[in-house]
């Protein structure tokens, strides 16, 4: 394992802001991971694991520790729909490979940037699927125990955009491999309303067609990273869809000037509902294209903040706070940031 010094981090993230890593290394094997953990511990330095950088924000002062970029590759077919995938593999590349081979279970998550190892951490999801539905287990280095561990789906404690890895015990585990359980010859998942509408009544739509359609939808919303696109510098959805008590629907409707029935929401049980953050932003005045500075809202998707060029982390914080405060003042709902801040 080779350690370098003062490596710029902004180019390694899709948002493109932030300073340098004091120390930087690349992990191409589990042995590299164990060595990096020991190297940082010996010097009493913080350690941050970097994947594809698609859901990451770096502070302007950079990171005063060791940044370990995960590049463990490999896709192993275990048979009967089971695959072991290295944490450094491209997520979209893995999805396309499964789609081409006729394995269902991840087709609606096509076009999501980043690496495989980051998907269980955030429990990523899109268009009717969550990655936790396809995960059988996760292999990771347990920094507390000082050894590698196999964590079952239940042990990962998956919830909406959360897992054991980012909530409860953040930083304890370094994901090195994910085992997926997919459906050989299975039908595409068509739960999401917009996707169902695009597909129409044809129930025989192929996995490949669905994946292609998902990418088209994502691109139309500025959620597909395309080389040369002016709005490529984004971390995707910047705010989580808030979960509130069902009693909040009435005051939200009143603030928005609509009937309660017109407030879009989804029941998640136990008297709680999920509201679309994009709907709240728009009715609080934060519409597509909003903002005239270095950072603003995407012209294609209300939830995406875009670095228009030359932005800093401080610029992002200012814009984020203005939006969060505006939605709070309008609806009494505090939005939460979805991207991770390197710390």
């Amino acid at each position: 394992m080779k350690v370098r010094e003062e490596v710029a981090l902004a180019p390694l993230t899709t948002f493109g802001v932030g300073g340098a890593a004091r120390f930087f290394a690349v992990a191409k094997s589990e042995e590299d991971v164990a060595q990096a953990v020991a190297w940082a511990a010996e010097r009493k330095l913080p350690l941050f694991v970097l994947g594809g950088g698609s859901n990451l924000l770096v502070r302007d002062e950079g990171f005063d520790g060791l940044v370990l970029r995960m590049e463990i590759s490999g896709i192993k077919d275990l048979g009967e729909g089971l695959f072991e995938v290295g944490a450094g593999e491209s997520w979209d590349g893995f999805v396309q490979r499964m789609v081409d081979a006729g394995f269902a279970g991840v087709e609606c998550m096509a076009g999501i940037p980043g690496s495989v190892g980051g998907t269980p951490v955030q429990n990523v999801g899109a268009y009717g699927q969550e990655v936790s539905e396809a995960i059988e287990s996760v292999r990771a280095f347990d920094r507390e125990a000082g050894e590698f561990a196999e964590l079952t789906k239940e042990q990962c404690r998956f919830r909406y955009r959360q897992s054991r890895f980012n909530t409860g015990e953040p930083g304890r585990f370094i994901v090195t491999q994910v085992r997926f359980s997919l459906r050989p010859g299975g039908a595409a998942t068509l739960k999401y309303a917009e996707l169902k509408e695009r597909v129409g009544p044809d129930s025989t739509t192929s996995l490949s067609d669905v994946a292609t359609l998902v990418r088209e939808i994502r691109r139309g919303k500025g959620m597909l990273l395309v080389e040369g696109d002016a709005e490529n510098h984004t971390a995707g959805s910047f705010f989580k869809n808030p979960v509130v008590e069902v009693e909040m629907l009435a005051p939200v409707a009143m603030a928005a000037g609509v009937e309660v029935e017109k407030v879009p929401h989804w029941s998640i049980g136990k008297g709680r509902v999920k509201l679309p953050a994009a709907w709240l932003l728009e009715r609080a005045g934060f519409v597509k294209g909003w903002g005239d500075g270095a950072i603003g809202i995407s012209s294609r998707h209300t939830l995406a903040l875009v670095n228009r060029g030359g932005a800093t982390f401080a610029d992002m914080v200012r814009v984020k706070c203005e939006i969060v405060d505006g939605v709070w003042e309008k609806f009494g709902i505090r939005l939460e940031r979805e991207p991770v801040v390197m710390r």
Side-chain angles (χ1 to χ4, degrees), residues 33-35 37-38 140-149 172-173:
V33 173
Q35 288 181 2
V37 170
F141 185 81
D142 183 346
R143 296 174 66 184
E144 188 175 290
E147 60 187 18
F148 286 93
R172 174 178 173 179
F173 297 96

Side-chain angles (χ1 to χ4, degrees), residues 179-229:
R179 177 178 287 192
F180 294 93
S181 178
L182 305 178
R183 306 188 304 277
T189 298
L190 295 174
K191 298 177 183 177
Y192 196 78
E194 183 177 2
L195 192 55
K196 289 173 65 176
E197 183 179 345
R198 293 280 193 102
V199 169
D202 186 2
S203 60
T204 62
T205 302
S206 70
L207 298 175
S208 182
D209 288 342
V210 169
T212 298
L213 184 55
V214 165
R215 290 192 184 95
E216 290 176 358
I217 295 173
R218 291 183 67 87
R219 182 165 189 174
K221 294 181 176 180
M223 292 295 182
L224 186 68
L225 300 184
V226 180
E227 189 68 31
D229 192 315

Side-chain angles (χ1 to χ4, degrees), residues 168 189 201 232 327 329 331 337:
T189 298
N232 251 5
V327 172
E329 292 173 7
F331 296 107
R337 183 191 68 242

Side-chain angles (χ1 to χ4, degrees), residues 23-54:
F23 299 105
F24 183 90
V26 174
K28 292 184 178 294
S29 67
E30 290 191 339
E31 182 180 358
D32 288 341
V33 173
Q35 288 181 2
V37 170
W39 190 93
E42 287 171 5
R43 292 159 178 79
K44 294 183 169 55
L45 292 171
L47 170 69
F48 186 91
V49 179
L50 173 66
S54 61

Side-chain angles (χ1 to χ4, degrees), residues 282-293:
E282 289 166 356
R283 278 146 190 81
F286 302 104
V287 297
K288 295 174 184 176
W290 173 89
D292 56 5

Side-chain angles (χ1 to χ4, degrees), residues 13-18 55-61 233-239 290 293-297 303-325 336-343:
T13 72
T14 57
F15 203 75
V17 302
N55 196 50
L56 178 66
L57 302 168
V58 180
R59 298 178 185 276
D60 293 328
E61 60 268 29
H233 292 300
T234 176
S237 293
F238 202 89
F239 299 103
W290 173 89
I295 289 182
I297 294 177
L303 282 189
L305 292 188
V306 175
N307 174 3
R308 295 169 176 154
T312 64
F313 181 86
D315 292 330
M316 181 281 300
V317 171
R318 176 182 52 78
V319 171
K320 185 265 296 186
C321 290
E322 184 173 351
I323 293 173
V324 169
D325 290 347
E336 295 182 12
R337 183 191 68 242
E338 188 163 322
V340 174
V341 174
M342 183 178 284
R343 62 179 74 233

